[in-house]
Amino acid sequence: MVGRDDGASDEARLHAWIDGDAAAGNQLVKRHYRRILLFFHSKVGPELGRDLTQATFETLCANKVNFRGEASVLTYLFGIARWKLVHHVRKQRLHGERFEPLEHSAELPDVDRSITSLFMGRQRETLLVRALRSLPLDDQLVLELKEYEGMTSRQLAEVFEVGRDTMSSRINYARQRLTAAGAAGGRIGAADRLDADRARRVHARDPRAHRRRGRGG
């Protein structure tokens, strides 16, 4: 049995879970619950974020025996989360409108307003967040997972189920699109890219930050 404080890897915990060790499964969920929740929060808000996080771990539980070790447990988990998000956005489209994450941004006005309100009075951060949100969904996810989660191109390739060279190109294209979107929105250049990430990190780390700001706290 995998112990609570034995420093077991994700893979060891998953295999113990497959072998019937429910405690190992609970430990694996606890280890990654918050990072999956934050992945969803800035895209769909807190309530739906919790629902989609729960759905992600339910899918991991249901499909855990299919894990082949071709990716890490972490990237496998984020891959599930990405598809949950894409499926959710597609369901929200009216009249079966086509949605492709490589081509289309995810327009969620209520969430966009709450993010923008966090940076009220800080024009550059607001413009950068808007620039990020204007990108196709997969571009947003690539940049966020790379800059915030610190994923390598190999790990990102596992999440998106593409080759490593393809992912390296996607990272470069996503950065170029962010720079172009920022410049179009407010003459913001490439040097501000890290400020955009800093703005996104503040919102992701504390989902309640925009409410505190709204109360003047």
Side-chain angles (χ1 to χ4, degrees):
M1 179 177 291
V2 175
R4 176 177 296 179
D5 299 315
D6 63 359
S9 68
D10 288 344
E11 286 69 26
R13 292 186 190 280
L14 183 61
H15 287 302
W17 192 11
I18 291 170
D19 290 338
D21 185 350
N26 288 334
Q27 291 158 15
L28 185 62
V29 171
K30 288 179 181 178
R31 177 178 288 181
H32 296 302
Y33 184 88
R34 178 169 172 77
R35 66 202 312 177
I36 297 298
L37 180 64
L38 293 180
F39 170 85
F40 285 120
H41 180 270
S42 66
K43 297 292 180 288
V44 298
E47 185 173 351
L48 268 173
R50 287 189 292 270
D51 291 344
L52 290 175
T53 298
Q54 180 69 24
T56 296
F57 283 105
E58 287 174 354
T59 296
L60 175 65
C61 179
N63 295 324
K64 60 184 183 291
V65 296
N66 297 324
F67 179 74
R68 300 176 182 176
E70 296 171 350
S72 69
V73 172
L74 179 63
T75 57
Y76 182 65
L77 189 57
F78 270 105
I80 295 171
R82 171 181 171 265
W83 279 117
K84 293 291 181 185
L85 179 59
V86 170
H87 180 63
H88 168 75
V89 174
R90 282 176 172 159
K91 286 200 306 182
Q92 302 307 303
R93 294 277 163 145
L94 295 176
H95 311 298
E97 183 182 356
R98 178 172 168 268
F99 175 79
E100 293 298 332
L102 269 172
E103 302 174 21
H104 304 124
S105 62
E107 298 177 2
L108 298 163
D110 291 340
V111 178
D112 289 344
R113 281 194 294 271
S114 71
I115 291 176
T116 302
S117 70
L118 175 61
F119 304 107
M120 190 178 300
R122 295 158 62 185
Q123 183 179 21
R124 187 169 66 175
E125 286 90 340
T126 298
L127 290 171
L128 286 164
V129 169
R130 286 177 177 169
L132 182 64
R133 301 283 289 178
S134 73
L135 301 181
L137 179 61
D138 270 356
D139 282 357
Q140 295 181 44
L141 299 181
V142 163
L143 293 174
E144 291 177 5
L145 291 175
K146 181 164 182 59
E147 301 295 341
Y148 180 57
E149 289 291 338
M151 286 191 179
T152 64
S153 57
R154 177 186 61 79
Q155 290 174 311
L156 287 167
E158 292 174 0
V159 173
F160 289 83
E161 301 179 288
V162 297
R164 190 170 178 177
D165 289 344
T166 297
M167 180 48 64
S168 295
S169 296
R170 284 196 187 181
I171 293 168
N172 290 332
Y173 288 142
R175 285 173 169 166
Q176 291 169 14
R177 290 184 187 115
L178 178 61
T179 299
R187 297 183 180 179
I188 295 172
D192 288 308
R193 186 176 68 238
L194 291 180
D195 285 339
D197 179 58
R198 188 178 303 117
R200 198 198 64 78
R201 288 186 190 203
V202 170
H203 182 73
R205 286 185 183 278
D206 188 353
R208 298 164 297 177
H210 65 280
R211 291 200 292 271
R212 288 204 302 270
R213 175 174 289 272
R215 291 198 295 265

